Amino acid sequence: MSPVRRRTISAEKKKKRMLWLLLPLLAVLVCGGWLLLHRTPVSLPEVVPSQNVTLSNRPSEDVISITVSGPYDEPYTLQRDTEGIWQMKGMPDFIFRQTMLDAMINNAAVIITDDTIGRLTEHPDWLADDFGLQDGCLRVDAGYSDSSHLAFRLGDPIPEETPGYFFMLEGDDRIFTISSDVFEAYANTRMALHTVSEPALKGDLIDRIAFSGHDPFVLERSSDGWYLTEPVIYPLAGSAVDSLLSKLEGVRFAQYVGRAEECNLASMGLDPAERMLTLDIAESTVTGYDADSQVTGRTLLPAYQLNLSIGHEESEIVFYCLYRGEVNKATSFSAGFLRTQSWSSLLLAAPFNSDIGEINRLTWSQNGQAQTYNLSFSEHVLPNNELERDENGNVIYNVNVSCNGQDIDSEAFAAAYGRLCALRMEDRLPSDYSLPNVEPLLTVEITRNDSKARTVTLWPLDALHDAVAVNGIALFRVEKGWMDNVNLP
């Protein structure tokens, strides 16, 4: 077979061919660059200012009735009588929340939209349903003293960053937007408008807290702090109890339901109650002042008990409460702890929590030996014969310590006592634990100036841990050697 000869292309011809191929691409790039540099500026649409419209501008006194209907409740009517008193129609004893009543009246007197979307007649493809303004939406009919009426509808929230809702005045084919405040003024059930009784508690006046029903327990205030007194007697952490007292001060009810005799208490979990809270409120004095802040008188309020019954949950965030003969709804956000609070989270983890200035005796018993430390205090007199005081004006005392009748280094004792007070218990013992029938490893008894005494005892538990009993009640365990670095002198 004869060899096939291939035609060779010289390097120069290759360059010419490549140049011809690149020329169209270069032309496109040059034209594109010219267009970018010389293109005609795009005309941006003009910014259309908001078209707010005043639909009503009357004094609030001109509003005499407000009827609300929609998805939240059966239709209800608020009406003003000849004496200017607002009533819920058909409920003569109804007492309004004044702020909510004022919002409804003011938003019926002055109606100013935020913006105008357009007219339904100019947009045949638009339907009221597209804006949530169909029959059955939130509707308000306001009546005025001149016998006129305005009825308007509030629909879906507008899809913008600024909160608002679609709005339509009946008899007017325009679609508006309006402030969310207007929607919130009317998007309520009638009972949401009823005033609620508030406990208005003061934590520093509460002396006893008792929960009955499920997970019952009792807390009581003492001269050396708060104690759990049922189901066992055990000291409590001051910070944890303060947090509970703060929550009690913040208890507020979300909505009034009705008088107890008018409600089906059993269906609400209130007969019997799922849980009952009983508070003992200490005696207090109320002081009156005049405009010049001068005392005008004092009234002594006797001690009393306050009871609050906790019932079923209506939903995941709302539950029923019975307070002073009235059923109310409370939310889990503000009062959920009433259903869930337990005593285990309140326990004191630092069994030695008295300041050194509050004690007068400490006894350390170990291996059959007992050391008793007695403390006394004396004022520190300065060279000018005045008593030394701290930055808050409190007198500074010298601590004098003796052990078994012999004076010892008070500073060394104070340092060791500080290490004792720093000890913490972290791990809980099993609920079925009972103290062993053996000698304790260590017993420390502290007597306070007010004669209150606390005994902390270590008991063998396992190879790594010891049990700790406070006044004979063991709830925590600690690692072995827990007190080894205390080293009392």
Coordinates of all heavy atoms in Angstrom, one line a residue, residues 10-89:
S10 N 2.8 25.4 7.3 CA 3.9 26.1 7.8 C 3.5 26.9 9.1 O 2.3 27.2 9.2 CB 4.5 27.1 6.8 OG 3.5 28.1 6.5
A11 N 4.5 27.3 9.9 CA 4.2 28.0 11.1 C 3.6 29.4 10.8 O 2.7 29.9 11.5 CB 5.5 28.2 11.9
E12 N 4.0 30.0 9.7 CA 3.5 31.3 9.4 C 2.0 31.3 9.0 O 1.2 32.1 9.4 CB 4.3 31.9 8.2 CG 3.9 33.3 7.8 CD 4.8 33.9 6.7 OE1 5.8 33.2 6.3 OE2 4.5 34.9 6.2
K13 N 1.7 30.2 8.2 CA 0.3 30.0 7.8 C -0.6 29.8 9.1 O -1.7 30.2 9.2 CB 0.1 28.9 6.8 CG 0.7 29.3 5.5 CD 0.4 28.1 4.5 CE 0.9 28.5 3.0 NZ 0.7 27.5 2.1
K14 N 0.0 29.0 10.1 CA -0.8 28.8 11.3 C -1.1 30.1 12.0 O -2.2 30.3 12.5 CB 0.0 27.9 12.2 CG 0.0 26.4 11.8 CD 0.8 25.6 12.9 CE 0.8 24.1 12.5 NZ 1.5 23.3 13.5
K15 N -0.1 31.0 12.0 CA -0.3 32.3 12.7 C -1.4 33.1 12.0 O -2.3 33.7 12.6 CB 1.0 33.1 12.7 CG 2.0 32.5 13.7 CD 3.2 33.3 13.6 CE 4.3 32.8 14.6 NZ 5.6 33.6 14.6
K16 N -1.4 33.1 10.7 CA -2.4 33.8 10.0 C -3.8 33.3 10.2 O -4.8 34.0 10.4 CB -2.1 33.8 8.5 CG -0.9 34.6 8.1 CD -0.7 34.5 6.6 CE 0.5 35.4 6.2 NZ 0.8 35.3 4.7
R17 N -3.9 31.9 10.2 CA -5.2 31.3 10.5 C -5.7 31.6 11.9 O -6.9 32.0 12.0 CB -5.1 29.8 10.3 CG -6.4 29.0 10.6 CD -6.3 27.6 10.3 NE -6.2 27.4 8.8 CZ -6.1 26.2 8.2 NH1 -6.2 25.1 8.9 NH2 -6.1 26.1 6.9
M18 N -4.9 31.6 12.9 CA -5.3 31.9 14.3 C -5.7 33.4 14.4 O -6.7 33.7 15.1 CB -4.1 31.7 15.2 CG -3.9 30.2 15.5 SD -5.2 29.3 16.2 CE -5.3 30.1 17.7
L19 N -5.1 34.3 13.6 CA -5.4 35.7 13.6 C -6.8 35.9 13.1 O -7.6 36.6 13.6 CB -4.4 36.5 12.9 CG -4.6 38.0 12.8 CD1 -4.6 38.6 14.2 CD2 -3.6 38.7 11.9
W20 N -7.1 35.2 12.0 CA -8.5 35.3 11.4 C -9.6 34.8 12.4 O -10.7 35.3 12.4 CB -8.5 34.6 10.1 CG -7.9 35.4 9.0 CD1 -6.7 35.1 8.4 CD2 -8.4 36.5 8.4 NE1 -6.4 36.0 7.4 CE2 -7.4 37.0 7.4 CE3 -9.6 37.3 8.6 CZ2 -7.6 38.1 6.6 CZ3 -9.7 38.4 7.8 CH2 -8.8 38.8 6.8
L21 N -9.2 33.8 13.1 CA -10.2 33.2 14.1 C -10.4 34.1 15.2 O -11.5 34.2 15.8 CB -9.7 31.8 14.6 CG -9.7 30.7 13.6 CD1 -9.0 29.5 14.2 CD2 -11.1 30.4 13.1
L22 N -9.4 34.9 15.7 CA -9.5 35.7 16.8 C -10.1 37.1 16.5 O -10.7 37.7 17.4 CB -8.1 36.0 17.5 CG -7.5 34.8 18.2 CD1 -6.0 35.1 18.6 CD2 -8.3 34.4 19.4
L23 N -10.1 37.5 15.3 CA -10.6 38.8 14.9 C -12.1 39.0 15.3 O -12.5 40.0 15.9 CB -10.4 39.1 13.4 CG -9.0 39.5 13.0 CD1 -8.9 39.6 11.5 CD2 -8.6 40.8 13.7
P24 N -13.0 38.0 15.0 CA -14.4 38.2 15.4 C -14.6 38.3 16.9 O -15.4 39.1 17.4 CB -15.1 36.9 14.9 CG -14.2 36.5 13.8 CD -12.8 36.8 14.2
L25 N -13.8 37.5 17.7 CA -13.9 37.6 19.1 C -13.4 39.0 19.6 O -14.1 39.6 20.5 CB -13.0 36.5 19.8 CG -13.0 36.4 21.3 CD1 -14.4 36.2 21.8 CD2 -12.1 35.4 21.8
L26 N -12.3 39.5 19.1 CA -11.9 40.8 19.5 C -12.9 41.9 19.1 O -13.1 42.8 19.9 CB -10.5 41.1 18.8 CG -9.3 40.3 19.2 CD1 -8.1 40.6 18.3 CD2 -9.0 40.7 20.7
A27 N -13.6 41.7 18.0 CA -14.6 42.7 17.6 C -15.7 42.7 18.6 O -16.3 43.8 19.0 CB -15.1 42.4 16.2
V28 N -16.2 41.5 19.1 CA -17.2 41.4 20.0 C -16.8 42.1 21.4 O -17.6 42.9 22.0 CB -17.6 40.0 20.3 CG1 -18.6 39.8 21.5 CG2 -18.3 39.4 19.0
L29 N -15.6 41.8 21.8 CA -15.1 42.4 23.0 C -15.1 43.9 23.0 O -15.4 44.7 23.9 CB -13.8 41.9 23.4 CG -13.8 40.4 23.8 CD1 -12.3 39.9 24.0 CD2 -14.6 40.2 25.1
V30 N -14.6 44.5 21.8 CA -14.5 45.9 21.6 C -15.9 46.6 21.7 O -16.1 47.6 22.3 CB -13.7 46.3 20.4 CG1 -13.8 47.8 20.0 CG2 -12.3 45.9 20.5
C31 N -16.8 45.9 21.0 CA -18.2 46.5 20.9 C -18.8 46.5 22.3 O -19.5 47.4 22.7 CB -19.0 45.7 19.9 SG -18.5 46.0 18.2
G32 N -18.6 45.3 23.0 CA -19.2 45.2 24.3 C -18.6 46.3 25.3 O -19.4 46.9 26.0
G33 N -17.3 46.5 25.2 CA -16.7 47.5 26.1 C -17.2 48.9 25.7 O -17.5 49.7 26.6
W34 N -17.4 49.2 24.4 CA -17.9 50.5 24.1 C -19.4 50.7 24.6 O -19.7 51.8 25.1 CB -17.9 50.6 22.5 CG -18.3 52.0 22.1 CD1 -17.5 53.1 21.9 CD2 -19.6 52.4 21.7 NE1 -18.2 54.2 21.5 CE2 -19.5 53.8 21.4 CE3 -20.9 51.8 21.7 CZ2 -20.6 54.5 21.0 CZ3 -22.0 52.5 21.3 CH2 -21.8 53.9 21.0
L35 N -20.2 49.6 24.5 CA -21.5 49.7 25.0 C -21.6 49.9 26.5 O -22.4 50.7 27.0 CB -22.3 48.5 24.6 CG -22.7 48.3 23.1 CD1 -23.3 46.9 22.9 CD2 -23.6 49.4 22.7
L36 N -20.7 49.2 27.2 CA -20.6 49.4 28.7 C -20.3 50.8 29.0 O -20.8 51.4 30.0 CB -19.7 48.5 29.3 CG -20.1 47.0 29.4 CD1 -18.9 46.1 29.9 CD2 -21.3 46.8 30.3
L37 N -19.4 51.4 28.3 CA -19.0 52.8 28.6 C -20.0 53.9 28.1 O -20.0 55.0 28.7 CB -17.6 53.1 28.0 CG -16.4 52.3 28.6 CD1 -15.2 52.5 27.8 CD2 -16.2 52.6 30.0
H38 N -20.8 53.5 27.1 CA -21.6 54.6 26.5 C -23.1 54.2 26.5 O -23.9 54.8 25.8 CB -21.2 54.8 25.0 CG -19.8 55.3 24.9 ND1 -18.7 54.5 24.9 CD2 -19.3 56.6 24.8 CE1 -17.6 55.2 24.8 NE2 -18.0 56.5 24.7
R39 N -23.5 53.2 27.4 CA -24.9 52.8 27.4 C -25.8 53.9 27.9 O -25.3 54.7 28.8 CB -25.1 51.5 28.2 CG -24.8 51.7 29.7 CD -25.0 50.4 30.4 NE -24.8 50.5 31.8 CZ -24.9 49.6 32.7 NH1 -25.3 48.3 32.3 NH2 -24.7 49.8 34.0
T40 N -27.0 53.9 27.5 CA -28.0 54.9 28.0 C -28.4 54.6 29.4 O -28.7 53.5 29.7 CB -29.2 54.9 27.1 OG1 -28.8 55.1 25.7 CG2 -30.2 56.0 27.5
P41 N -28.4 55.5 30.4 CA -28.8 55.3 31.8 C -30.2 54.8 31.9 O -31.1 55.2 31.2 CB -28.6 56.6 32.5 CG -27.7 57.4 31.6 CD -27.9 56.9 30.2
V42 N -30.4 53.8 32.8 CA -31.7 53.2 33.0 C -32.5 54.2 33.8 O -32.1 54.6 34.9 CB -31.7 51.8 33.6 CG1 -33.1 51.3 33.9 CG2 -30.9 50.9 32.8
S43 N -33.8 54.5 33.4 CA -34.6 55.4 34.2 C -35.3 54.6 35.3 O -36.1 53.6 35.0 CB -35.7 56.0 33.3 OG -35.0 56.8 32.3
L44 N -35.0 54.9 36.6 CA -35.6 54.3 37.7 C -37.0 54.8 37.9 O -37.3 56.0 37.7 CB -34.8 54.5 39.0 CG -33.4 53.8 38.9 CD1 -32.6 54.2 40.2 CD2 -33.5 52.3 38.8
P45 N -38.0 54.0 38.3 CA -39.3 54.5 38.6 C -39.3 55.5 39.8 O -38.5 55.3 40.7 CB -40.1 53.2 38.9 CG -39.1 52.2 39.4 CD -37.9 52.5 38.7
E46 N -40.2 56.4 39.7 CA -40.3 57.4 40.7 C -40.8 56.7 42.0 O -41.7 55.9 42.0 CB -41.2 58.5 40.3 CG -40.7 59.4 39.2 CD -41.6 60.5 38.8 OE1 -42.6 60.7 39.6 OE2 -41.4 61.2 37.9
V47 N -40.3 57.2 43.1 CA -40.8 56.7 44.4 C -42.1 57.3 44.7 O -42.3 58.5 44.7 CB -39.8 57.0 45.6 CG1 -40.3 56.6 46.9 CG2 -38.4 56.4 45.3
V48 N -43.1 56.4 44.9 CA -44.5 56.8 45.2 C -44.6 57.0 46.7 O -44.5 56.1 47.5 CB -45.5 55.8 44.7 CG1 -46.9 56.3 45.0 CG2 -45.3 55.6 43.2
P49 N -44.9 58.2 47.1 CA -45.1 58.4 48.6 C -46.3 57.7 49.1 O -47.3 57.4 48.4 CB -45.3 59.9 48.7 CG -45.8 60.4 47.4 CD -45.2 59.4 46.4
S50 N -46.3 57.4 50.4 CA -47.4 56.7 51.0 C -48.7 57.6 50.9 O -48.6 58.8 51.1 CB -47.1 56.4 52.5 OG -46.1 55.5 52.6
Q51 N -49.8 57.0 50.6 CA -51.0 57.7 50.4 C -52.0 57.4 51.6 O -52.9 56.6 51.4 CB -51.7 57.3 49.1 CG -50.8 57.5 47.8 CD -51.5 57.0 46.6 OE1 -52.6 57.3 46.3 NE2 -50.7 56.3 45.8
N52 N -51.7 58.0 52.7 CA -52.5 57.8 53.8 C -53.8 58.7 53.7 O -53.8 59.7 53.1 CB -51.8 58.1 55.1 CG -51.3 59.5 55.2 OD1 -51.3 60.2 54.2 ND2 -50.8 60.0 56.4
V53 N -54.9 58.1 54.3 CA -56.2 58.8 54.1 C -56.8 58.8 55.5 O -56.8 57.8 56.2 CB -57.1 58.0 53.2 CG1 -58.5 58.6 53.1 CG2 -56.5 58.0 51.8
T54 N -57.4 59.9 55.9 CA -58.1 60.1 57.1 C -59.6 59.7 56.9 O -60.3 60.4 56.1 CB -58.0 61.5 57.7 OG1 -56.6 61.8 58.0 CG2 -58.8 61.6 59.0
L55 N -60.0 58.7 57.5 CA -61.4 58.2 57.3 C -62.3 58.7 58.4 O -63.6 58.7 58.2 CB -61.5 56.7 57.2 CG -60.6 56.1 56.0 CD1 -60.6 54.6 56.1 CD2 -61.2 56.5 54.7
S56 N -61.8 59.0 59.5 CA -62.6 59.5 60.6 C -61.6 60.3 61.5 O -60.5 59.9 61.8 CB -63.2 58.4 61.4 OG -63.9 58.9 62.6
N57 N -62.1 61.4 62.0 CA -61.4 62.2 62.9 C -62.3 62.9 63.9 O -62.7 64.1 63.7 CB -60.5 63.3 62.2 CG -59.6 64.0 63.1 OD1 -59.4 63.7 64.2 ND2 -58.9 65.0 62.5
R58 N -62.7 62.2 64.9 CA -63.7 62.7 65.9 C -63.1 62.6 67.3 O -62.2 61.8 67.6 CB -65.0 61.7 65.8 CG -65.5 61.5 64.5 CD -66.5 60.3 64.5 NE -67.0 60.0 63.2 CZ -68.2 60.2 62.8 NH1 -69.1 60.9 63.6 NH2 -68.6 59.8 61.6
P59 N -63.7 63.3 68.2 CA -63.3 63.2 69.6 C -63.8 61.8 70.1 O -64.8 61.2 69.6 CB -64.1 64.3 70.3 CG -64.6 65.2 69.3 CD -64.7 64.4 68.0
S60 N -63.0 61.2 71.0 CA -63.4 59.9 71.5 C -64.7 59.9 72.2 O -65.4 58.8 72.2 CB -62.3 59.4 72.5 OG -62.2 60.3 73.6
E61 N -65.2 61.0 72.7 CA -66.5 61.1 73.4 C -67.6 60.9 72.4 O -68.7 60.6 72.8 CB -66.7 62.5 74.0 CG -65.7 62.7 75.2 CD -64.3 63.2 74.8 OE1 -64.2 63.4 73.5 OE2 -63.4 63.2 75.6
D62 N -67.3 61.0 71.1 CA -68.4 60.8 70.1 C -68.7 59.3 69.9 O -69.7 59.0 69.3 CB -68.0 61.5 68.8 CG -68.2 63.0 68.8 OD1 -68.6 63.5 69.9 OD2 -67.9 63.6 67.8
V63 N -67.8 58.4 70.2 CA -68.0 57.0 70.0 C -69.0 56.5 71.1 O -68.7 56.7 72.3 CB -66.7 56.2 70.1 CG1 -66.9 54.8 69.8 CG2 -65.7 56.8 69.1
I64 N -70.1 55.9 70.7 CA -71.0 55.4 71.7 C -71.2 53.9 71.7 O -71.8 53.3 72.6 CB -72.4 56.1 71.5 CG1 -73.0 55.8 70.2 CG2 -72.3 57.6 71.8 CD1 -74.4 56.3 70.0
S65 N -70.8 53.2 70.6 CA -70.9 51.8 70.6 C -69.8 51.2 69.6 O -69.4 51.8 68.7 CB -72.3 51.3 70.1 OG -72.5 51.7 68.7
I66 N -69.4 50.0 70.0 CA -68.4 49.3 69.1 C -68.8 47.8 69.1 O -68.9 47.2 70.2 CB -67.0 49.4 69.7 CG1 -66.5 50.8 69.8 CG2 -66.0 48.6 68.9 CD1 -65.2 51.0 70.5
T67 N -69.1 47.3 67.9 CA -69.4 45.9 67.8 C -68.3 45.2 67.0 O -67.9 45.6 66.0 CB -70.8 45.7 67.0 OG1 -71.8 46.3 67.7 CG2 -71.1 44.2 66.8
V68 N -67.8 44.1 67.6 CA -66.7 43.3 67.0 C -67.2 41.9 66.7 O -67.8 41.3 67.5 CB -65.5 43.3 68.0 CG1 -64.4 42.5 67.4 CG2 -65.1 44.7 68.4
S69 N -66.9 41.5 65.5 CA -67.2 40.1 65.0 C -66.0 39.6 64.3 O -65.1 40.4 63.9 CB -68.4 40.1 64.2 OG -68.2 40.9 63.0
G70 N -65.9 38.3 64.1 CA -64.8 37.7 63.4 C -64.4 36.4 63.9 O -65.2 35.7 64.6
P71 N -63.2 36.0 63.7 CA -62.8 34.6 64.0 C -62.4 34.3 65.5 O -62.2 33.2 65.9 CB -61.5 34.4 63.1 CG -60.9 35.8 63.0 CD -62.1 36.7 63.0
Y72 N -62.4 35.4 66.3 CA -61.9 35.2 67.7 C -63.0 34.9 68.7 O -62.7 34.4 69.8 CB -61.1 36.4 68.1 CG -60.0 36.7 67.2 CD1 -60.1 37.7 66.2 CD2 -58.8 35.9 67.2 CE1 -59.0 38.0 65.3 CE2 -57.8 36.1 66.3 CZ -57.9 37.2 65.3 OH -56.9 37.4 64.4
D73 N -64.2 35.3 68.4 CA -65.3 35.1 69.4 C -66.6 35.3 68.7 O -66.7 35.8 67.5 CB -65.2 36.2 70.5 CG -65.9 35.8 71.8 OD1 -66.7 34.9 71.7 OD2 -65.7 36.4 72.8
E74 N -67.7 35.0 69.3 CA -69.0 35.4 68.9 C -69.1 36.9 68.9 O -68.4 37.6 69.7 CB -70.1 34.8 69.7 CG -70.2 33.3 69.7 CD -70.6 32.8 68.3 OE1 -71.4 33.4 67.6 OE2 -70.0 31.7 67.9
P75 N -69.9 37.5 68.0 CA -70.0 39.0 68.0 C -70.4 39.5 69.4 O -71.2 39.0 70.1 CB -71.1 39.3 67.0 CG -71.1 38.1 66.1 CD -70.7 36.9 66.9
Y76 N -69.8 40.6 69.8 CA -70.1 41.3 71.0 C -70.1 42.8 70.8 O -69.4 43.3 69.9 CB -69.1 40.9 72.1 CG -67.6 41.2 71.9 CD1 -67.1 42.4 72.2 CD2 -66.8 40.2 71.3 CE1 -65.7 42.7 72.0 CE2 -65.5 40.5 71.1 CZ -64.9 41.7 71.4 OH -63.6 41.9 71.2
T77 N -70.8 43.5 71.7 CA -71.0 44.9 71.6 C -70.6 45.6 72.9 O -71.1 45.2 73.9 CB -72.4 45.3 71.2 OG1 -72.7 44.7 69.9 CG2 -72.6 46.8 71.1
L78 N -69.8 46.7 72.7 CA -69.5 47.6 73.8 C -70.4 48.8 73.6 O -70.5 49.4 72.5 CB -68.1 48.0 73.9 CG -67.0 47.0 74.2 CD1 -66.9 45.8 73.2 CD2 -65.6 47.7 74.3
Q79 N -71.1 49.3 74.7 CA -71.9 50.5 74.5 C -71.8 51.4 75.7 O -71.5 51.0 76.8 CB -73.4 50.1 74.3 CG -73.9 49.2 75.4 CD -75.2 48.6 75.0 OE1 -75.7 48.6 73.9 NE2 -76.0 48.1 76.0
R80 N -71.9 52.7 75.4 CA -71.8 53.8 76.4 C -73.1 54.2 76.8 O -74.0 54.6 76.0 CB -70.9 54.9 75.9 CG -70.6 56.0 76.9 CD -69.4 56.8 76.5 NE -69.6 57.5 75.2 CZ -70.1 58.7 75.0 NH1 -70.5 59.4 76.1 NH2 -70.3 59.2 73.8
D81 N -73.4 54.2 78.2 CA -74.7 54.6 78.6 C -74.8 56.2 78.7 O -73.9 56.9 78.4 CB -75.1 54.0 79.9 CG -74.1 54.3 81.1 OD1 -73.5 55.4 81.0 OD2 -74.1 53.6 82.1
T82 N -76.0 56.6 79.1 CA -76.2 58.1 79.2 C -75.3 58.8 80.2 O -75.1 60.0 80.1 CB -77.7 58.3 79.6 OG1 -78.0 57.7 80.8 CG2 -78.6 57.8 78.4
E83 N -74.7 58.0 81.1 CA -73.8 58.6 82.1 C -72.4 58.5 81.7 O -71.5 58.9 82.4 CB -74.0 57.9 83.5 CG -75.4 58.1 84.0 CD -75.5 57.4 85.4 OE1 -74.6 56.8 85.8 OE2 -76.6 57.6 86.0
G84 N -72.1 58.0 80.4 CA -70.8 57.9 79.9 C -70.0 56.7 80.4 O -68.8 56.6 80.1
I85 N -70.7 55.8 81.0 CA -70.1 54.5 81.4 C -70.2 53.5 80.4 O -71.3 53.2 79.8 CB -70.7 54.0 82.7 CG1 -70.7 55.1 83.8 CG2 -70.0 52.8 83.2 CD1 -69.3 55.6 84.2
W86 N -69.0 52.8 80.0 CA -69.0 51.8 79.0 C -69.4 50.4 79.7 O -69.0 50.1 80.8 CB -67.7 51.7 78.4 CG -67.4 52.7 77.4 CD1 -66.9 54.0 77.5 CD2 -67.7 52.6 76.0 NE1 -66.9 54.7 76.4 CE2 -67.4 53.8 75.4 CE3 -68.3 51.6 75.2 CZ2 -67.5 54.1 74.0 CZ3 -68.4 51.9 73.8 CH2 -68.1 53.1 73.2
Q87 N -70.2 49.7 79.0 CA -70.7 48.4 79.4 C -70.6 47.4 78.3 O -70.6 47.7 77.1 CB -72.1 48.4 79.9 CG -72.4 49.3 81.1 CD -73.8 49.3 81.5 OE1 -74.7 48.9 80.8 NE2 -74.1 49.7 82.8
M88 N -70.4 46.1 78.7 CA -70.5 45.0 77.7 C -72.0 44.6 77.6 O -72.6 44.3 78.6 CB -69.6 43.8 78.1 CG -69.7 42.6 77.2 SD -68.8 43.0 75.6 CE -67.1 43.0 76.1
K89 N -72.5 44.7 76.4 CA -73.9 44.4 76.2 C -74.3 43.0 76.7 O -73.6 42.0 76.4 CB -74.3 44.6 74.8 CG -75.8 44.5 74.5 CD -76.1 44.7 73.0 CE -77.6 44.7 72.8 NZ -77.9 44.9 71.3

